[in-house]
Amino acid sequence: MANYVMFIDPNKCTGCNACRIACQMQWGLTPSVNYNHLIEQETGKYPKVQRMIIPIQCQHCDDAPCQKVCPTGATYKREDGIVLIDAKKCIGCKYCMVACPYNARVINEEGVPEKCRFCAEYVAQGETPACVSTCMNEVRIFGDLDDPASPLHELINNQDVVQLRPDLNTKPRIYYAKSKRG
Amino acid sequence: MQPISRRSFLKLAAAATTAVALPQGLKIDFQAFAEEAKAGEVTKVPSLCNGCSSYCGVWVYVKNGRLWKIEGNKTHMKSRGHICARGHGVAQNVYNPGRVTQPMKRIDDQNNFQPITWEQAFQEVGQKMKALVEEHGGDKFVWLCHGGKESYAQQFMDIIGSDNYITHYATCFSAKTNIWQNMAGGMFNSDFDNAKTMLFVGRNYAGGIIPAAMKRITQAKSKGAKIIVVDPRFCELATIADEWIPIRPGTDLAFFLGIAHTLISEDLYDKKFVAEYVYGFEEFWAHNKEFTADKAAEICGIPAEKIREIARALAKDAPQAFLDPGYHGLAAHYQNSNETMALNVIINALLGNFWKAGGLFPAASTTFGHPEATYYGPVAAKGPRVDGAGVSGEYPLVEPSRGIPQRIPDLIEKGRVKIVFFYSYNPLRSAPEPEYQKKIKNADLVVSINYDWNETSLYTAHYILPENHYLERTEHPKVINGNIYWPAAQVATRFKALESTTSSLALLDIMKGLTKAYGIENLYGYTVEEELEAALGPLGISVEELKEKGCIELMPTVLPKDEGLTFSTFTGKIEFSIGAWRKEGYLGVPTWVPPLVEPKNANEFRLIHGKQPWHSHIMTTNNPYLMAITKEKNGTYMWMNSSRAAELGIKEGDWVTVTSEITSKQVQVHVTEGLHPECVWLPSTYGTFSEKLELGYGQGVNYNDFIPARIDKKTGHVMGQECVVTITKGGK
């Protein structure tokens, strides 16, 4: 059983939005339904300026608030760490949307609060998530933490990494390189 | 999840009707229908992205006859497996509601068209062309296109005697190609992988994206390379730079002269390289030795010490250091663009980085075979270039291979042009002064070959002949090279991935129909498949192999070398003094030239522009996916420096009225710290005014609205940033 995690280096992101649209194509989403958000913020004063760009998507938390509040068990966690939603069980109450501290969920065409799926069906076949493979700056690295050959060990263990809102103890599966901007 | 093809729909419908028996009409088991659709086989077809002139290699995933998605081809030197947002969007344009679905004929002056058959279109256009050529001569025919890898028109023009193949380059980068050709014998490209210091001035690879360039720049940065970005705007590339240095727009030439002066006066330049491979060094120095870094600083606003520091950093790492040759950024923008480009060549030559790892290299190339000629009829003598490009007494220094596209209305008025063909080109939106460009409709015959209802088709065309979407056709192969260093040329092409959903045709079929109706039999006596085979034959590549791999790399031919360099110039050296300039009575070497216009008053700004990373200039505003990003990011806003905005009482999102010498328009403002106070910045994307492109229509404004159609006397470009605008709050 794999143990999927993602490493994101926001210092490499230049904000092209390819991740967003590659994901939309992969999952046949409508233009306004988007699982990849780039949060941008300008810092500093002219001429000493920086622009922080943080790619945000479902963090696939090991202690997922969205899963806890789901009244029907529609949101579930697989053994490989991926958090998914079973659309057949979803009653559209949107508790998960409110509970998610990362604002990762969006209502899709069928009325289901969907989100990044870590491209579950594709990674099972050895493929790379669409947001990872399309990115020219190689901002994201996805892989199996149980694979000793994975570069993720080096990136997560030996680099200065942070997680989003660690105070909430959600235990996210996405690790971010510490920002060097601003 | 993927929609279902008509064929499988009918198959299922037939099965369902058999089961329930007629005559209750068509009953469909939608569940079975959906199950079959889900199980539909996915095919992968290689193609080349049509989002910009990089032609990135893509794999097209097709399911149930519909486009599912595209992915980058890992071999292709421009994509290296990655595709930008616009690439994904342009693929989806195959389902764009703004497509022209069959040939159209104008019926009035109110932009109303009547759908006609291809046969009627060919007959009417072919016969009108014939009559006009017989009455006025073939040299009254102009073919206007984006330029690049299309070639079919040339064969027809050779027969009728027209030399007027005109590209969009004067609105884009003609100063660059012209000057590099004159001084270095052709274009050279940066080797990101081995550079230690990279200086980008007016070149934003993260906005005007080449995915492989960004991949290699970010990888080089991870290995310790230093990136310096000089740009009036904190552009997307600046986000990963070690340093962003804002410069007064229009003064990059002064900055470059300051760098060159430091390299020479501090004895930091590569004297061996200059002695062996440079012609005109002394002449350059004689005319520029007073132009110190201090003088440069007064003009460009970058402190003299910073200019010296950059020059020293480049010299220290040379030859593993370069000033990127650039692209659109400065090469069609200012009265001093030609001299600016010349200094780019000179600085790199002073660093001695030509043909050196981490420096600059020419593009590797190859040649294709051709199908046997099938036309043996008469060929008319070619008349003069109507736009005056390369013509003595007009624009002798402009490259005829590029032309002067912004001049067409004037040429029609003078009777020099009677027939205008546009191929995948939209000057009403991409060239200056749209109201002036609208006069193109006054030509005797205007034909637009374009896939969607762009402004040029809607406002000027007498006939619209819709070309199909790039995913709907197989094309003759392309050499993949240039713009970024790669040691080997590559070969790739587009293979048909989808059946057309409209009555549109490939250009080859359109040209076959037109020339036949004109009365030329068998000018293109081959299919595109036969042409492809003939092209690849001499390279020992089969069509099947190319289809399987999508992109094939040839043997490396451009590798670092230390001696025996030759340049394709008159002297065989890099010429700091341009012979063609001297011949026309100009000084051969570049010296300081001020910008044409300067903002002076409290509410005056220079209007500058640039490419937004998720749009391809003006050609993607009707794409729902890309416009969704625009909406979320307030992408149509005009950027203004916060201190200037405060002076004028302007806050984020406020409407302002922007007035230039030719027009006045309203736009919302983005207040930022990331812009030089002297200018405002517009993305080059918006201002769609074709009402048939509903998503883009009326969204934002375009810099071309504000600039008059001018022609630079040396290289023919539009001087697209020689524009002062007055800005007042409100107006909407």
Side-chain angles (χ1 to χ4, degrees):
Chain A
M1 181 55 63
N3 179 13
Y4 291 123
V5 297
M6 185 181 276
F7 170 79
I8 297 181
D9 187 350
N11 300 299
K12 288 184 176 176
C13 181
T14 50
C16 81
N17 282 281
C19 49
R20 167 193 170 119
I21 187 167
C23 169
Q24 288 177 311
M25 297 303 114
Q26 176 89 317
W27 294 102
L29 308 181
T30 55
S32 59
V33 176
N34 168 30
Y35 301 161
N36 283 285
H37 302 272
L38 298 182
I39 308 296
E40 299 189 29
Q41 196 186 357
E42 189 177 280
T43 59
K45 278 274 172 200
Y46 179 87
K48 292 281 167 217
V49 187
Q50 246 311 342
R51 193 182 306 130
M52 317 270 287
I53 308 172
I54 315 282
I56 299 197
Q57 60 210 74
C58 171
Q59 305 285 306
H60 295 273
C61 308
D62 280 348
D63 198 353
C66 59
Q67 187 188 0
K68 277 195 237 168
V69 299
C70 180
T72 65
T75 294
Y76 63 101
K77 189 165 186 72
R78 302 202 316 191
E79 276 183 54
D80 59 11
I82 298 180
V83 174
L84 293 179
I85 180 162
D86 181 349
K88 288 195 188 103
K89 289 188 187 165
C90 176
I91 53 169
C93 71
K94 302 181 188 169
Y95 284 6
C96 55
M97 293 184 80
V98 178
C100 176
Y102 309 106
N103 210 9
R105 297 224 181 202
V106 282
I107 301 285
N108 72 6
E109 255 186 320
E110 282 86 40
V112 177
E114 260 294 0
K115 59 173 194 66
C116 159
R117 309 163 53 84
F118 262 4
C119 282
E121 290 79 352
Y122 300 99
V123 298
Q125 295 162 35
E127 290 178 31
T128 312
C131 61
V132 176
S133 61
T134 205
C135 178
M136 61 190 182
N137 296 344
E138 299 169 305
V139 168
R140 292 172 176 83
I141 294 172
F142 178 86
D144 178 359
L145 208 49
D146 290 347
D147 173 5
S150 169
L152 284 158
H153 295 285
E154 165 75 17
L155 293 167
I156 291 172
N157 297 325
N158 298 347
Q159 279 213 20
D160 217 355
V161 292
V162 292
Q163 292 190 298
L164 299 183
R165 296 296 308 270
D167 54 310
L168 299 173
N169 275 321
T170 55
K171 298 184 186 125
R173 280 182 170 258
I174 298 187
Y175 298 83
Y176 289 83
K178 215 167 190 175
S179 177
K180 292 172 194 150
R181 294 183 190 167
Chain B
M1 180 166 312
Q2 296 301 312
I4 292 161
S5 77
R6 193 171 142 267
R7 206 181 53 180
S8 64
F9 177 91
L10 291 175
K11 199 171 74 186
L12 277 157
T17 46
T18 314
V20 298
L22 293 168
Q24 289 129 307
L26 204 61
K27 281 197 180 170
I28 299 165
D29 179 346
F30 276 103
Q31 199 144 16
F33 184 42
E35 285 308 312
E36 178 175 317
K38 263 190 213 164
E41 200 187 324
V42 175
T43 54
K44 264 173 81 176
V45 183
S47 188
L48 298 172
C49 179
N50 205 29
C52 75
S53 47
S54 290
Y55 292 90
C56 282
V58 295
W59 289 105
V60 187
Y61 287 69
V62 180
K63 192 175 177 186
N64 295 313
R66 293 266 304 186
L67 170 66
W68 168 23
K69 63 174 180 177
I70 61 164
E71 282 179 2
N73 183 311
K74 290 195 168 124
T75 303
H76 195 285
M77 64 166 277
K78 303 289 177 75
S79 50
R80 300 301 280 172
H82 310 289
I83 292 297
C84 70
R86 61 176 73 100
H88 292 287
V90 165
Q92 287 293 327
N93 270 351
V94 72
Y95 304 120
N96 197 308
R99 284 186 70 171
V100 180
T101 51
Q102 72 179 91
M104 297 284 166
K105 179 182 183 178
R106 177 178 294 276
I107 53 172
D108 60 21
D109 267 351
Q110 308 302 310
N111 297 342
N112 289 309
F113 288 79
Q114 166 196 358
I116 56 174
T117 64
W118 277 104
E119 193 44 41
Q120 184 185 346
F122 288 148
Q123 288 307 323
E124 290 188 16
V125 173
Q127 284 164 23
K128 282 181 187 181
M129 270 202 294
K130 175 108 181 154
L132 287 164
V133 168
E134 280 176 359
E135 187 183 345
H136 303 286
D139 61 342
K140 305 294 185 297
F141 175 101
V142 294
W143 178 272
L144 287 134
C145 58
H146 181 273
K149 318 230 167 184
E150 176 280 311
S151 63
Y152 299 117
Q154 199 66 60
Q155 300 175 54
F156 173 65
M157 293 164 73
D158 286 346
I159 290 175
I160 64 169
S162 167
D163 200 20
N164 304 312
Y165 186 94
I166 302 177
T167 71
H168 87 295
Y169 296 125
T171 62
C172 192
F173 58 63
S174 60
K176 173 185 153 173
T177 51
N178 187 309
I179 298 304
W180 278 81
Q181 187 65 42
N182 270 301
M183 293 178 71
M187 276 315 308
F188 282 74
N189 311 300
S190 305
D191 172 15
F192 309 116
D193 304 339
N194 299 298
K196 290 180 179 164
T197 293
M198 308 186 224
L199 175 58
F200 298 97
V201 182
R203 177 64 178 110
N204 173 19
Y205 278 100
I209 293 170
I210 299 177
M214 284 308 296
K215 181 187 179 107
R216 292 164 63 190
I217 291 167
T218 47
Q219 284 180 350
K221 182 183 161 72
S222 300
K223 288 189 293 179
K226 190 175 183 200
I227 299 169
I228 305 167
V229 169
V230 176
D231 194 314
R233 184 175 77 101
F234 189 87
C235 63
E236 288 75 16
L237 186 62
T239 59
I240 62 158
D242 294 275
E243 217 172 345
W244 170 57
I245 301 167
I247 185 168
R248 277 188 69 216
T251 67
D252 306 81
L253 173 60
F255 171 66
F256 287 173
L257 285 165
I259 297 266
H261 193 278
T262 307
L263 291 173
I264 298 168
S265 64
E266 296 189 4
D267 226 13
L268 301 170
Y269 70 102
D270 188 332
K271 284 178 278 299
K272 184 169 176 286
F273 183 88
V274 168
E276 278 182 62
Y277 299 117
V278 168
Y279 164 84
F281 174 83
E282 283 75 21
E283 188 186 343
F284 171 76
W285 185 235
H287 282 94
N288 288 289
K289 63 182 165 215
E290 310 299 323
F291 207 100
T292 60
D294 296 282
K295 181 156 185 196
E298 282 169 30
I299 296 170
C300 74
I302 299 173
E305 204 36 52
K306 177 58 75 179
I307 297 172
R308 290 191 195 100
E309 181 192 313
I310 294 169
R312 289 167 194 154
L314 287 167
K316 181 174 152 286
D317 287 333
Q320 288 172 280
F322 60 75
L323 163 59
D324 189 88
Y327 208 67
H328 175 72
L330 297 168
H333 293 51
Y334 300 111
Q335 179 169 248
N336 60 26
S337 282
N338 306 315
E339 288 75 13
T340 306
M341 294 300 114
L343 257 297
N344 192 308
V345 180
I346 287 169
I347 288 170
N348 283 302
L350 292 173
L351 296 173
N353 66 12
F354 285 76
W355 288 91
K356 300 287 196 305
L360 304 184
F361 291 89
S365 197
T366 189
T367 43
F368 290 129
H370 296 282
E372 273 183 50
T374 50
Y375 174 79
Y376 302 103
V379 173
K382 284 206 172 158
R385 289 262 326 183
V386 287
D387 61 357
V391 177
S392 176
E394 291 201 59
Y395 296 94
L397 295 170
V398 175
E399 294 168 287
S401 59
R402 316 275 179 190
I404 308 175
Q406 69 270 35
R407 237 198 130 179
I408 302 302
D410 168 48
L411 302 176
I412 293 167
E413 203 172 308
K414 291 193 167 106
R416 284 174 158 195
V417 169
K418 298 286 180 188
I419 307 169
V420 180
F421 265 72
F422 293 107
Y423 171 60
S424 193
Y425 180 48
N426 183 18
L428 259 67
R429 192 58 291 177
S430 69
E433 206 175 344
E435 290 305 317
Y436 167 71
Q437 301 296 341
K438 279 181 185 174
K439 294 182 188 167
I440 291 168
K441 69 170 188 239
N442 298 332
D444 292 44
L445 178 63
V446 183
V447 179
S448 181
I449 301 171
N450 195 67
Y451 101 104
D452 74 357
W453 284 97
N454 68 16
E455 287 79 2
T456 299
S457 296
L458 189 65
Y459 283 87
T460 73
H462 305 160
Y463 292 89
I464 305 171
L465 307 181
E467 190 190 29
N468 52 16
H469 185 272
Y470 83 91
L471 294 176
E472 297 168 342
R473 61 181 182 255
T474 298
E475 290 188 1
H476 62 91
K478 284 146 190 76
V479 181
I480 305 300
N481 64 357
N483 295 329
I484 55 177
Y485 167 58
W486 198 248
Q490 300 182 332
V491 175
T493 196
R494 294 180 174 133
F495 286 94
K496 181 176 178 173
L498 298 168
E499 291 299 328
S500 182
T501 55
T502 65
S503 177
S504 53
L505 292 177
L507 180 64
L508 177 60
D509 295 320
I510 295 173
M511 294 308 290
K512 280 182 180 178
L514 285 176
T515 50
K516 188 165 183 238
Y518 184 95
I520 304 171
E521 285 293 335
N522 217 21
L523 177 55
Y524 312 93
Y526 43 80
T527 64
V528 72
E529 288 79 11
E530 287 163 354
E531 192 189 4
L532 190 52
E533 203 175 318
L536 296 173
L539 298 173
I541 298 171
S542 71
V543 176
E544 290 68 36
E545 187 190 1
L546 188 58
K547 190 165 187 182
E548 189 196 316
K549 295 179 178 166
C551 179
I552 291 174
E553 184 159 312
L554 306 177
M555 293 295 286
T557 54
V558 179
L559 293 165
K561 54 182 176 184
D562 285 328
E563 46 198 45
L565 310 187
T566 53
F567 298 88
S568 302
T569 55
F570 183 72
T571 58
K573 298 181 174 188
I574 295 173
E575 301 190 351
F576 283 14
S577 178
I578 301 173
W581 285 17
R582 295 193 305 272
K583 184 168 168 282
E584 291 301 323
Y586 299 110
L587 186 64
V589 293
T591 55
W592 169 244
V593 174
L596 184 66
V597 295
E598 296 271 11
K600 293 188 182 77
N601 300 327
N603 59 353
E604 283 184 351
F605 296 78
R606 182 183 294 278
L607 174 62
I608 68 169
H609 66 268
K611 211 168 182 178
Q612 215 162 36
W614 63 90
H615 276 295
S616 202
H617 290 311
I618 53 149
M619 58 179 270
T620 47
T621 56
N622 208 49
N623 185 289
Y625 287 94
L626 302 177
M627 285 306 275
I629 303 172
T630 292
K631 195 175 169 195
E632 199 176 298
K633 305 278 177 197
N634 291 329
T636 58
Y637 285 19
M638 179 179 75
W639 291 31
M640 183 185 284
N641 176 282
S642 64
S643 62
R644 296 292 304 276
E647 281 166 29
L648 298 175
I650 293 165
K651 294 187 294 295
E652 181 76 16
D654 279 353
W655 284 93
V656 296
T657 299
V658 185
T659 306
S660 77
E661 60 180 291
I662 64 166
T663 196
S664 192
K665 302 244 171 200
Q666 283 77 38
V667 69
Q668 283 171 285
V669 171
H670 168 53
V671 176
T672 178
E673 300 293 332
L675 187 68
H676 195 283
E678 218 172 273
C679 57
V680 283
W681 180 87
L682 273 178
S684 59
T685 302
Y686 305 103
T688 298
F689 63 91
S690 164
E691 54 262 42
K692 299 234 183 200
L693 300 176
E694 290 179 6
L695 274 174
Y697 182 72
Q699 300 287 323
V701 297
N702 194 284
Y703 70 95
N704 283 305
D705 291 330
F706 299 94
I707 51 173
R710 290 174 300 215
I711 304 164
D712 174 80
K713 60 183 189 262
K714 280 178 178 159
T715 63
H717 66 79
V718 295
M719 297 188 273
Q721 292 187 172
E722 294 287 15
C723 178
V724 172
V725 292
T726 304
I727 293 177
T728 52
K729 197 175 163 181
K732 189 151 185 169

